[in-house]
Amino acid sequence: MAATGALPSSYQTPNLPPPSLKSSSSFSSAALVFIKPHKKNHNSIRCDITSPNSPVHFFTNNTSPEHLPVPMASESAVKNAKKVCLFYCAETKELAQKVAAESDGIELRSITWRKFADGFPNIFIPNAHAIRGQHVAFLASFNSPSVIFEQLSVIYALPKLFIASFTLVLPFFPTGTSERMEDEGDVATAFTLARALSNIPISMGGPTSLVIYDIHALQERFYFGDNILPCFESGIPLLKTRLQQLPDSDNISICFPDDGAWKRFHKQLQHFPTIVCAKVREGDQRIVRIKEGDPKGRHVVIVDDLVQSGGTLIECQKVLAAHGAAKISAYVTHGIFPNRSWGRFKSDKGGNPEQGLTYFWITDSCPTTVRDVMHNPPFEVLSLAGSIATTLQNS
């Protein structure tokens, strides 16, 4: 091959060997051509081609560095995008659909949930052979003890189907929310569940990745064994985004109802003015008092990881209103609300903090609660779907 014209010195590479075919060069779809002037005839060019089956790029004397061929980044990203088959239980169907809508790389796969006449599960995974070699995830909801066994059966079965990797997404780790190991004979059910999850069979890709949001007792992360990889996420970024959208975003203070909530979340919310409450004993009663901070004239947002009966949050609301808070809202990652206790929380009806809350934000980590409180002020649901989708494709 020959070309006329002198070759600029910047393209003379006599000492560079041709790239190896095993190189991880970004020029994966094209051969690189190293151009070297012939010693006796500077008008001729010798081309070293790395692969006879690859397209050839010729760099001539009118080729400038900015015109060198570059790989198509978008094509590479599409090619390398992680594909995930996402299974779900009946309770998480709506959340799973939202997760799949966040990414073209996530494909929903259904499971047939049935029961035998004696009440035990009769479960079938349709087209199971099609997930061989695929990255697989299961979106679980242990919202009651009655559904844990049937979901564990699926969780133990999926890794055995010759899949590339397995991720279990359990947004709310339910056991141990009120456990106190105070007396001999107390049973740590959170440890029992952690041990059960730690024995999920290993897939071809190795141990299961377990995704949990704002686990209630931080020490519970140490309950898990070495055969599972816990990934602890938080719903607080969703709250921060929502607060930035409020018209009074520059007048917000964060209130922690106790020292435990402060230890858990204050680092993620440290750029907000802080109020810390505490329960103090007066006679036979335990009363919430402000330990530090001033709510006067502020939109105060009470932040905690979960709520059950809501008694502590209501007491916090009362004391904040008594100390001059202009508005009071609340956020919890997990709205459990047994026995429909969410009904205790009322709307402030336009800025009357002594009457109720301006907003009560929860996530959709507890799907049954979402269906109950949807469209009921002051409740507003912040979906974990985007966060889950990102975690699935990055894990």
Side-chain angles (χ1 to χ4, degrees):
M1 300 180 187
T4 59
L7 185 71
S9 59
S10 60
Y11 292 107
Q12 297 178 11
T13 56
N15 297 321
L16 292 177
S20 168
L21 290 176
K22 295 182 179 180
S23 170
S24 60
S25 169
S26 60
F27 296 93
S28 59
S29 61
L32 292 179
V33 178
F34 287 81
I35 305 171
K36 181 179 180 181
H38 196 278
K39 292 182 178 179
K40 295 182 179 180
N41 185 355
H42 292 285
N43 291 328
S44 64
I45 298 177
R46 188 177 72 209
C47 304
D48 295 326
I49 305 175
T50 61
S51 172
N53 298 321
S54 299
V56 180
H57 297 290
F58 294 94
F59 306 156
T60 63
N61 62 338
N62 61 354
T63 305
S64 57
E66 63 267 21
H67 294 142
L68 296 182
V70 295
M72 296 296 293
S74 59
E75 291 180 4
S76 176
V78 171
K79 183 177 180 180
N80 297 324
K82 183 178 179 181
K83 304 293 184 181
V84 180
C85 298
L86 177 60
F87 291 88
Y88 54 90
C89 62
E91 290 81 5
T92 60
K93 181 177 180 179
E94 293 181 10
L95 178 55
Q97 291 172 336
K98 292 179 181 178
V99 172
E102 293 285 336
S103 172
D104 292 336
I106 299 177
E107 175 190 358
L108 284 186
R109 297 292 301 271
S110 62
I111 294 174
T112 303
W113 303 89
R114 299 170 299 195
K115 291 185 182 296
F116 290 108
D118 59 3
F120 275 83
N122 177 14
I123 305 167
F124 180 70
I125 302 173
N127 204 18
H129 67 277
I131 65 172
R132 290 188 176 188
Q134 302 294 314
H135 299 287
V136 173
F138 181 75
L139 181 55
S141 176
F142 293 175
N143 61 294
S144 72
S146 63
V147 300
I148 292 179
F149 176 69
E150 63 181 22
Q151 291 183 55
L152 279 177
S153 299
V154 170
I155 291 166
Y156 274 49
L158 286 172
K160 295 181 178 180
L161 296 176
F162 299 98
I163 61 178
S165 69
F166 182 57
T167 301
L168 171 61
V169 183
L170 181 63
F172 174 48
F173 186 75
T175 57
T177 55
S178 299
E179 281 185 353
R180 296 290 185 273
M181 303 303 296
E182 297 175 347
D183 297 315
E184 188 70 25
D186 285 339
V187 177
T189 57
F191 178 76
T192 304
L193 182 57
R195 184 162 51 183
L197 295 176
S198 297
N199 283 282
I200 297 173
I202 295 176
S203 68
M204 290 195 303
T208 294
S209 297
L210 171 63
V211 181
I212 296 175
Y213 284 81
D214 292 323
I215 194 167
H216 177 63
L218 296 180
Q219 70 272 13
E220 290 173 3
R221 66 182 59 209
F222 303 111
Y223 290 178
F224 297 94
D226 293 337
N227 290 331
I228 196 166
L229 304 175
C231 175
F232 298 103
E233 300 286 352
S234 178
I236 294 297
L238 297 174
L239 171 65
K240 293 167 68 174
T241 299
R242 184 67 183 95
L243 294 181
Q244 292 171 359
Q245 299 168 350
L246 298 180
D248 58 350
S249 59
D250 58 346
N251 190 45
I252 290 174
S253 293
I254 300 297
C255 175
F256 300 108
D258 52 39
D259 287 334
W262 179 85
K263 291 177 182 178
R264 177 188 303 276
F265 295 125
H266 80 278
K267 290 183 179 179
Q268 297 185 70
L269 297 164
Q270 58 186 347
H271 58 289
F272 290 99
T274 298
I275 301 166
V276 181
C277 292
K279 291 181 180 178
V280 297
R281 184 173 295 279
E282 291 187 359
D284 295 333
Q285 294 183 328
R286 299 193 66 176
I287 301 174
V288 173
R289 296 281 188 243
I290 294 178
K291 181 179 177 180
E292 61 180 82
D294 184 6
K296 188 174 182 179
R298 308 286 293 179
H299 182 175
V300 182
V301 180
I302 308 169
V303 174
D304 208 347
D305 62 317
L306 61 82
V307 59
Q308 295 215 43
S309 66
T312 299
L313 292 183
I314 290 175
E315 291 301 314
C316 282
Q317 174 212 335
K318 292 179 179 178
V319 70
L320 292 169
H323 282 76
K327 294 180 182 178
I328 303 171
S329 296
Y331 165 87
V332 296
T333 302
H334 310 296
I336 305 170
F337 297 118
N339 302 316
R340 300 176 66 85
S341 58
W342 55 267
R344 301 179 64 184
F345 293 92
K346 308 299 181 182
S347 171
D348 66 359
K349 298 179 180 179
N352 299 297
E354 67 281 352
Q355 296 184 12
L357 301 175
T358 303
Y359 298 100
F360 196 145
W361 294 290
I362 64 172
T363 74
D364 43 7
S365 66
C366 300
T368 53
T369 298
V370 171
R371 289 190 286 270
D372 287 339
V373 306
M374 188 69 72
H375 309 303
N376 285 311
F379 291 96
E380 186 176 297
V381 178
L382 307 178
S383 181
L384 296 171
S387 176
I388 293 173
T390 300
T391 302
L392 288 179
Q393 298 210 285
N394 291 338
S395 61

